[in-house]
Amino acid sequence: MALIVQKFGGSSVADAQRVMNVARIVTETYKQGNDVVVVVSAQGDTTDDLIEKAKEINPNAKTREMDQLLAAGEQISISLLAMAIEGLGFPVISLLGWQAGFNTNSVYGSARIKNIRTNRLQAELAKHNIVVVAGFQGINRYDDLTTLGRGGSDTSAVAIAAALHADKCQIFTDVEGVYTADPRKVEGAQKLDEITYDEMLELATLGAQVLNNRSVEMAKKYSVELEVLSSLNPVPGTIVKEKIKMEKMLIRGVTKDTDVALISVVGVDDNPGVAFKIFSKLAHKNINVDIILQSVGRTGTKDVTFTVSKDNGPIAVEAIRELPQLEDKEIKCKTDVAKVSIVGAGMESHPGTASKMFEALYEQNINIQMISTSEIKISVIIDEAEANRAVNAVHNAFLPND
Amino acid sequence: MALIVQKFGGSSVADAQRVMNVARIVTETYKQGNDVVVVVSAQGDTTDDLIEKAKEINPNAKTREMDQLLAAGEQISISLLAMAIEGLGFPVISLLGWQAGFNTNSVYGSARIKNIRTNRLQAELAKHNIVVVAGFQGINRYDDLTTLGRGGSDTSAVAIAAALHADKCQIFTDVEGVYTADPRKVEGAQKLDEITYDEMLELATLGAQVLNNRSVEMAKKYSVELEVLSSLNPVPGTIVKEKIKMEKMLIRGVTKDTDVALISVVGVDDNPGVAFKIFSKLAHKNINVDIILQSVGRTGTKDVTFTVSKDNGPIAVEAIRELPQLEDKEIKCKTDVAKVSIVGAGMESHPGTASKMFEALYEQNINIQMISTSEIKISVIIDEAEANRAVNAVHNAFLPND
């Protein structure tokens, strides 16, 4: 007998029929002799609808009240799922975040889990109940409700799996697993049987929105074996774990991220501390910077280039324009760009990987505006209009469709 | 400075505009220097919509999960109202039933309040916060959510007023107060300035759905002064308290209740214990019996007649048919009847009240099928089709429209 944590996202429980479908998956697992804890998100568009309601009344509502409001979404979905499971004749109980022992800090809207007091969870499992837990939410030291931010239900599921030393944490989504590229856009995209945490982290960061990044980080930290699989099609998914069996595949995936703005500051005086000033200013404004390049410009000057999310582009430009050192400098912001990346733990020991990628782009006559590399990732910034063509070309170079 | 508890029902917070309206009433009271605790129900049809969702998935859902589900309704309305008050620039915090300290027993669906632990409420008031509390809900000893049943928000409001020794508990509705009859149906219906708890209890029982009965009982028990008033029209409402100033009015109101089924068992053997058997059977089936009459029938027999709600009519007939003593007896159930009542503490000392009522009905040629009296109430059962005419005639006899 194993203890399995299963997580279902909002689209998996969007209506009565889908709730019944989830109930069948859960009870099937239970019938096989497993203890089951189920983590669910709010139904379909509930969270967005609630945010809409709030904005109509007060566009600047305090985050405490927003969390109080949003937590109602999972409250609805857990009780409905519990009723569905009950209807199939299985013992079940639903628990809100605080009932399941989720203690968080007080950063409303994106709270961090501090610990899970598992006594209630364990008591319910001891009674052989299927336990349905509200994802995305917890409680702080003041007894006020908190939410973990978007994608927080993944984190809730992994946290429970870690706290209960579960044998597996299954993340059910509307895709069948992790692919080498977006299967809707890239012909020959392949489902991966296995992937390492690090590879998954790079893929998650790079726009493959299968798993929330925090949840992968947590799974890695506590060695929770993850499986990404479909709630609609009962086939094996993709296993995410620390070490995977060697495969011939050099790379794990090709991703595209169009939420990129490219900002360049040209002709900065070549003095120490300018880069520091720029990025401390951005950090102060809570703007996340992705790729950073600093190159030698004309005599005695340098160019600083970096990427942020599209939304943050204009905010970042405005922020750094306030710096006296950049008063008379040219600051450019391009938003019609995209980031295309390849990810794979195998590339570390294959020096030809980068040139193979660049060659594929060159053959398509695609101009590379910026390059960034890490141990298991190579990213390029190109024109947004060429992104799909680039992904296909690169995918075909590394993972030929045969 | 006074402490005022204000309660707003679901229709008062049905949409963004109405939530803003409630926020204005609440902050107006606060601006006058009062401490304010606001109790709200779920928005508009939220509760019914949630019940509908549940029934689609499992028509026989356990009441624990139903309470977990329904409690989400007030969670949404309290946070939205708090956001609205915040938007007007006032300090505010929303509290769920359990955060506000509502401890109940474990009768899911119609839990009773055991006590209110007021420390959080008092701490928030000490910080000069307007406190918005979720009505209708609490928590039991197992840390599971419970609901108080329909009309429970009135009870929540009165319970808080009692626990905090509030100076007044204002129940805002969509009518301007308590009337001598339904103003939509009876010409000359008058709004009462004051009414006693006992009179209000009789009126509430009799179908004037202004105030939930349990809340009036609780207000009487803890001497909480109630005011029933309109959330849409800012005029003084009706005060409900123990003793009111003497007025010329003999009766307080005329009410009609069409949710009545009249059941007669004819020719029961005149032995002791038959009535007991009938009503213990009904109690066992959780059927509330309203009026009971037992009359002498043919030689050696008696007739037993009683009223229940329309829904319960067929169930009651079926239940008592199982009794061996009634095996061969005729059991009749009429559902086309209505109960018309007059209520007034003054009638105790006016012996002519009953005959005045019967005369008014006689003049309209309305046949009385059953009569029941208490110290402050006289009820008659008549044909449902004649109910409106009866109410108007009786109202005009006691409270002439001049």
Side-chain angles (χ1 to χ4, degrees):
Chain A
M1 194 182 80
L3 169 57
I4 297 182
V5 176
Q6 301 187 314
K7 182 259 166 179
F8 296 88
S11 66
S12 297
V13 291
D15 54 34
Q17 218 179 343
R18 293 201 169 190
V19 170
M20 290 308 302
N21 175 54
V22 169
R24 278 186 292 269
I25 295 174
V26 169
T27 53
E28 201 51 54
T29 311
Y30 182 85
K31 268 196 286 187
Q32 286 160 11
N34 301 298
D35 282 337
V36 187
V37 176
V38 191
V39 175
V40 265
S41 308
Q43 290 190 291
D45 300 326
T46 308
T47 304
D48 290 333
D49 291 348
L50 290 174
I51 291 173
E52 202 46 55
K53 263 177 186 272
K55 286 206 168 149
E56 208 184 331
I57 283 168
N58 182 348
N60 306 308
K62 258 194 295 201
T63 45
R64 183 210 179 260
E65 296 302 336
M66 195 57 108
D67 280 9
Q68 180 94 291
L69 175 70
L70 295 184
E74 290 79 33
Q75 185 163 343
I76 293 170
S77 58
I78 56 168
S79 43
L80 291 177
L81 178 57
M83 291 175 193
I85 292 170
E86 198 187 307
L88 295 176
F90 292 84
V92 63
I93 191 158
S94 75
L95 298 178
L96 297 165
W98 66 267
Q99 289 173 326
F102 274 83
N103 294 313
T104 74
N105 67 14
S106 291
V107 184
Y108 296 108
S110 57
R112 292 258 159 188
I113 299 167
K114 281 163 56 184
N115 60 68
I116 302 181
R117 295 210 345 210
T118 56
N119 23 356
R120 179 81 192 258
L121 279 166
Q122 279 171 325
E124 299 298 345
L125 288 172
K127 288 187 229 164
H128 301 293
N129 276 323
I130 294 172
V131 188
V132 180
V133 176
F136 177 71
Q137 57 178 243
I139 194 172
N140 66 14
R141 59 194 293 188
Y142 310 110
D143 270 3
D144 286 338
L145 304 191
T146 54
T147 70
L148 310 179
R150 290 276 159 158
S153 293
D154 286 354
T155 312
S156 302
V158 174
I160 287 185
L164 296 176
H165 305 286
D167 297 277
K168 195 190 272 192
C169 179
Q170 296 183 313
I171 310 284
F172 288 83
T173 68
D174 42 13
V175 296
E176 281 166 28
V178 182
Y179 281 78
T180 54
D182 185 339
R184 289 163 303 182
K185 297 206 176 120
V186 177
E187 205 191 341
Q190 298 158 39
K191 190 172 75 185
L192 298 164
D193 293 333
E194 295 185 325
I195 189 170
T196 68
Y197 296 120
D198 287 336
E199 289 172 327
M200 190 66 228
L201 275 174
E202 292 287 7
L203 286 177
T205 316
L206 296 172
Q209 287 155 355
V210 182
L211 269 179
N212 173 266
N213 230 355
R214 266 163 75 188
S215 65
V216 181
E217 274 166 21
M218 192 182 279
K220 178 178 155 82
K221 184 168 169 191
Y222 295 102
S223 299
V224 173
E225 185 174 311
L226 292 176
E227 183 176 5
V228 177
L229 67 180
S230 164
S231 63
L232 302 171
N233 196 3
V235 294
T238 301
I239 304 276
V240 189
K241 54 186 188 179
E242 186 59 42
K243 281 196 162 63
I244 63 173
K245 55 181 182 285
M246 288 300 282
E247 284 182 275
K248 277 171 295 175
M249 258 185 224
L250 178 60
I251 70 162
R252 286 284 142 188
V254 183
T255 66
K256 176 188 83 168
D257 183 3
T258 56
D259 187 14
V260 180
L262 179 67
I263 296 174
S264 343
V265 190
V266 181
V268 179
D269 294 339
D270 196 4
N271 296 328
V274 175
F276 161 72
K277 293 254 164 60
I278 290 175
F279 296 107
S280 92
K281 189 86 187 177
L282 295 173
H284 192 71
K285 298 266 176 182
N286 261 318
I287 297 173
N288 254 330
V289 177
D290 181 19
I291 305 176
I292 299 174
L293 275 193
Q294 182 174 305
S295 58
V296 179
R298 282 155 299 180
T299 331
T301 67
K302 55 193 175 187
D303 300 343
V304 177
T305 311
F306 57 91
T307 63
V308 296
S309 69
K310 272 204 168 59
D311 270 4
N312 278 333
I315 306 168
V317 170
E318 201 181 320
I320 59 177
R321 228 185 255 295
E322 291 169 8
L323 291 170
Q325 293 89 337
L326 305 184
E327 223 173 11
D328 54 346
K329 305 302 176 211
E330 185 186 2
I331 302 174
K332 287 187 278 193
C333 177
K334 284 181 74 173
T335 54
D336 58 345
V337 292
K339 181 169 68 172
V340 170
S341 312
I342 57 175
V343 172
M347 67 174 68
E348 262 187 287
S349 46
H350 286 74
T353 315
S355 72
K356 189 168 178 177
M357 180 184 192
F358 302 155
E359 184 185 8
L361 294 171
Y362 168 75
E363 277 172 3
Q364 290 289 320
N365 202 24
I366 293 169
N367 188 36
I368 300 172
Q369 302 177 31
M370 199 168 170
I371 298 169
S372 159
T373 61
S374 82
E375 290 183 349
I376 64 167
K377 176 188 79 169
I378 303 172
S379 298
V380 297
I381 300 292
I382 59 171
D383 270 1
E384 189 171 356
E386 296 177 325
N388 282 337
R389 201 153 50 87
V391 169
N392 273 287
V394 172
H395 192 272
N396 202 43
F398 285 96
L399 304 157
N401 179 23
D402 45 24
Chain B
M1 196 181 77
L3 169 57
I4 297 181
V5 176
Q6 301 188 314
K7 183 259 167 180
F8 296 88
S11 66
S12 297
V13 291
D15 54 35
Q17 218 178 342
R18 291 199 172 191
V19 170
M20 289 308 302
N21 174 54
V22 169
R24 277 185 293 268
I25 294 173
V26 169
T27 54
E28 199 53 52
T29 311
Y30 182 85
K31 269 197 285 187
Q32 286 160 13
N34 301 298
D35 282 338
V36 187
V37 176
V38 191
V39 175
V40 265
S41 307
Q43 290 189 292
D45 301 325
T46 309
T47 304
D48 290 333
D49 291 348
L50 289 174
I51 291 172
E52 203 44 56
K53 263 176 185 274
K55 286 205 168 147
E56 207 184 333
I57 283 168
N58 183 348
N60 307 308
K62 257 194 295 200
T63 44
R64 182 210 180 259
E65 296 302 336
M66 196 56 108
D67 280 9
Q68 181 94 293
L69 175 69
L70 295 185
E74 291 78 34
Q75 185 163 342
I76 293 170
S77 57
I78 56 167
S79 43
L80 291 177
L81 178 56
M83 289 174 194
I85 291 171
E86 198 187 307
L88 295 176
F90 292 85
V92 63
I93 191 158
S94 76
L95 298 178
L96 297 164
W98 65 268
Q99 290 172 327
F102 275 82
N103 293 313
T104 75
N105 66 14
S106 291
V107 184
Y108 296 107
S110 57
R112 291 258 160 188
I113 299 167
K114 282 164 54 185
N115 59 66
I116 302 181
R117 293 210 344 210
T118 56
N119 25 353
R120 178 81 192 258
L121 278 166
Q122 280 171 324
E124 298 299 345
L125 288 172
K127 288 187 227 163
H128 301 293
N129 276 323
I130 294 171
V131 187
V132 181
V133 177
F136 178 71
Q137 58 178 243
I139 193 171
N140 66 14
R141 59 195 293 189
Y142 311 109
D143 270 3
D144 285 340
L145 303 191
T146 55
T147 69
L148 310 180
R150 289 277 159 158
S153 293
D154 286 354
T155 312
S156 301
V158 174
I160 286 185
L164 295 177
H165 305 287
D167 297 276
K168 194 189 272 192
C169 179
Q170 297 183 312
I171 309 285
F172 287 84
T173 69
D174 42 13
V175 296
E176 281 166 29
V178 182
Y179 281 76
T180 55
D182 185 339
R184 288 163 304 182
K185 297 206 176 120
V186 177
E187 203 190 343
Q190 298 158 38
K191 189 172 76 186
L192 297 163
D193 293 333
E194 293 185 326
I195 189 170
T196 67
Y197 295 120
D198 286 335
E199 289 172 327
M200 191 65 230
L201 275 173
E202 292 288 6
L203 286 176
T205 316
L206 297 171
Q209 286 154 356
V210 182
L211 268 180
N212 172 267
N213 230 356
R214 264 163 79 190
S215 65
V216 181
E217 274 166 20
M218 191 182 281
K220 178 178 155 82
K221 183 168 171 194
Y222 295 102
S223 300
V224 174
E225 185 173 312
L226 291 177
E227 183 176 5
V228 178
L229 66 179
S230 163
S231 63
L232 302 171
N233 195 2
V235 295
T238 300
I239 304 277
V240 189
K241 53 185 187 178
E242 187 58 45
K243 282 198 161 61
I244 64 173
K245 56 181 181 289
M246 289 300 280
E247 283 181 276
K248 276 170 296 175
M249 261 186 224
L250 178 60
I251 69 162
R252 286 282 143 187
V254 183
T255 66
K256 176 188 81 166
D257 183 3
T258 57
D259 187 14
V260 180
L262 179 67
I263 297 174
S264 343
V265 191
V266 180
V268 179
D269 294 339
D270 196 5
N271 296 329
V274 175
F276 162 72
K277 291 253 163 60
I278 291 175
F279 296 107
S280 92
K281 188 86 186 177
L282 294 173
H284 192 71
K285 297 266 178 184
N286 260 319
I287 296 172
N288 254 329
V289 178
D290 182 19
I291 304 177
I292 299 174
L293 275 192
Q294 181 174 308
S295 56
V296 178
R298 282 155 301 181
T299 329
T301 67
K302 55 192 177 190
D303 300 343
V304 177
T305 314
F306 57 91
T307 62
V308 297
S309 69
K310 273 204 166 63
D311 269 4
N312 277 332
I315 306 167
V317 171
E318 201 181 320
I320 60 176
R321 231 186 252 294
E322 291 169 9
L323 291 169
Q325 293 90 338
L326 305 185
E327 222 171 10
D328 55 347
K329 305 303 176 212
E330 184 187 2
I331 301 174
K332 287 187 279 194
C333 176
K334 285 180 71 172
T335 54
D336 57 346
V337 293
K339 181 169 67 171
V340 171
S341 312
I342 57 175
V343 172
M347 67 174 67
E348 262 187 290
S349 47
H350 285 74
T353 315
S355 72
K356 190 167 178 178
M357 180 183 190
F358 303 156
E359 184 185 10
L361 294 171
Y362 169 73
E363 278 172 5
Q364 291 288 320
N365 202 25
I366 294 169
N367 188 37
I368 299 172
Q369 302 178 29
M370 199 170 172
I371 297 169
S372 161
T373 61
S374 82
E375 291 184 348
I376 63 167
K377 177 187 80 169
I378 302 171
S379 298
V380 298
I381 299 291
I382 58 172
D383 269 1
E384 189 173 355
E386 296 177 324
N388 283 336
R389 202 153 50 87
V391 170
N392 273 285
V394 173
H395 192 271
N396 201 42
F398 286 96
L399 304 158
N401 179 21
D402 43 23

